[in-house]
Every structure is written in C-alpha cells, then in structure tokens.
Amino acid sequence: MNIFSSVLFHIPHDSARIPAWCKEQFMLSKAAFKKELILMRDYKTKALFSFDKHQKRLCARVSRLGCGCGEITLLKSYYFTHHKAFYLAVKKLLAKHNKCLIIDCHSFSSFSQDYELTKDSYRPQICLGADDFHTPKALLDFAKSAFEKAGFEVAINTPFAGAITPIKFYKKDSRVSSLMIEIRRDLYMDETTGKACKDWLDVKARINSSCRQICAEFSKDYF
C-alpha cells in the first residue's frame, strides 16, 4: 500500500531564487542580503521532507523575499501560478481518493524575528499548526505523539498557527485535511551560515519517520 497516495507535501519557502530584475529593488549590500535570506528562508526544508519516491511534493519556484517585492508581474508569474498549481494538485487527489492531506512544510528560527506577529519567547523544537475545520483532532494528536516519541519537544500553534488550504476549499470541503509542520532551525543547521549541523542526518531521519507514521495513519479508512 502506498501511504503517500492521498498526501501532498507543500514546501513553499525553501527556494533562494530571486529574479535578477527584482534583486535591483533591494537596498542592501550583498552581505546584508545573504544574512536576510538565511533569516527568512526555510532552509533545507525540501531536503528535510524529501525521503520517498512515492511522495507528491509541490515546491515554490522563488524565494518569499522575491514575492515581497510586490510587483504584479512577479505575483502573476510565480505567486498566483504556484497557488493555482496548489489548488489543482489538491483537486486531483480529491478526485482520485476522495480525501487529501496537505502537509505544509516549514522551518523557523530559534529566536523571534521582527516580522512575527507574536513575540512568544517559547520556541519548541517542533511546532504543529492546526486549523479548526481542516485539521482532524485525532490526526493532530497522533502527529504530536509521533514527534514526541521521536524525541522532539512539540507544541501546537506556537509560535505559528494555522494550516494552509486552497481558498476554493477553505472552510467548505472537509475532505481536505491540512497540517503545518515547523522545524526549529537550530536543530539541523547553523543559523548564521546556513550550513548543516553534525546532527543533520539524525534529525532528518526522525522527522521522516514521524511523517511516515502520520501518512500511514491518514491512509486508514476512518479519515
């Protein structure tokens, strides 16, 4: 049985790519820009959440710093295009399996940043984001337990909350389930240089094992 058949791994913020014409709008030195990119990019999330040939993954093509330029051309070329692909991928899974689980893959810094809406000093190793409508409580509880059994400190909706769903399904179609998984970056990388830590492979293996368990649980008939 393919436990990933009705699951979509959504990886929106791993890319470092910024179109050349957009870079011209940043009034930063190269060193300052590199530092900002390390702070804002969900470094290595594509690698962290890629572990099986049967996985379905949707990755954004440009950095969210680029989308922050606000240019309508950029939004049309990348942001809206990505969200259309996101909607179509979920729609396809629903048509085939009558259910879909979105695992929204992110990372966050070990310290609060200026853009964050809340300045909670508590930064768990794993943050699970849930939505009241689209995140089944049984699946959320299972996911929390899976990560805790893997040795992680886990919190729900702290410091980030919610779970993404394409707008056409949002609060309308309960067949779409969604779970955000945020990994604290100091677990697997040097937050100053962006280089992987010595524990990289161990952390990745424990995350992958937890995700496999979540996918296997979702594949059961009661979801």
Side-chain angles (χ1 to χ4, degrees):
M1 181 182 68
N2 179 9
I3 62 172
F4 303 108
S5 60
S6 58
V7 180
L8 177 66
F9 286 80
H10 181 237
I11 307 172
H13 297 150
D14 179 87
S15 177
R17 181 180 173 232
I18 296 176
W21 59 267
C22 183
K23 280 186 178 181
E24 297 172 358
Q25 299 184 39
F26 289 91
M27 307 300 290
L28 295 171
S29 65
K30 287 185 178 180
F33 183 82
K34 181 179 179 181
K35 180 180 179 181
E36 190 67 18
L37 190 59
I38 291 174
L39 284 173
M40 295 298 294
R41 179 185 173 192
D42 285 0
Y43 251 71
K44 303 185 186 301
T45 47
K46 184 177 179 180
L48 275 175
F49 288 95
S50 299
F51 52 88
D52 192 284
K53 65 180 182 180
H54 296 296
Q55 283 180 275
K56 299 174 185 68
R57 295 184 296 273
L58 179 64
C59 305
R61 294 167 56 199
V62 296
S63 166
R64 61 178 168 185
L65 285 180
C67 288
C69 291
E71 291 283 350
I72 192 63
T73 301
L74 187 68
L75 292 174
K76 285 182 178 179
S77 298
Y78 299 105
Y79 183 82
F80 296 143
T81 300
H82 174 77
H83 281 275
K84 182 179 180 180
F86 182 35
Y87 160 71
L88 291 175
V90 172
K91 182 181 178 182
K92 183 176 180 180
L93 290 178
L94 288 177
K96 188 172 183 179
H97 303 286
N98 202 38
K99 67 177 183 178
C100 171
L101 170 61
I102 300 162
I103 295 183
D104 194 32
C105 310
H106 295 269
S107 68
F108 65 103
S109 60
S110 61
F111 50 90
S112 62
Q113 298 196 50
D114 293 339
Y115 74 88
E116 294 179 21
L117 297 177
T118 60
K119 304 299 181 185
D120 195 338
S121 59
Y122 177 51
R123 316 285 283 190
Q125 293 177 321
I126 304 289
C127 164
L128 298 178
D131 177 86
D132 290 340
F133 187 90
H134 290 286
T135 310
K137 186 178 186 304
L139 187 67
L140 179 62
D141 291 343
F142 183 90
K144 185 173 185 291
S145 176
F147 278 106
E148 287 176 339
K149 287 178 180 177
F152 293 109
E153 176 192 12
V154 185
I156 296 172
N157 287 332
T158 299
F160 299 97
I164 193 170
T165 304
I167 193 64
K168 290 187 179 182
F169 299 117
Y170 186 60
K171 303 293 186 185
K172 300 172 185 174
D173 196 331
S174 60
R175 295 177 302 162
V176 180
S177 298
S178 186
L179 176 69
M180 179 172 69
I181 300 177
E182 295 252 10
I183 314 296
R184 203 178 69 203
R185 291 185 200 126
D186 64 328
L187 288 174
Y188 65 88
M189 63 173 270
D190 183 314
E191 293 181 88
T192 301
T193 65
K195 293 182 179 180
C197 295
K198 60 181 177 65
D199 295 329
W200 159 261
L201 291 178
D202 173 66
V203 172
K204 175 176 166 59
R206 288 189 285 143
I207 290 170
N208 295 170
S209 175
S210 300
C211 286
R212 282 183 184 277
Q213 293 174 57
I214 293 166
C215 292
E217 186 70 7
F218 184 76
S219 70
K220 296 179 180 178
D221 290 339
Y222 57 82
F223 282 109

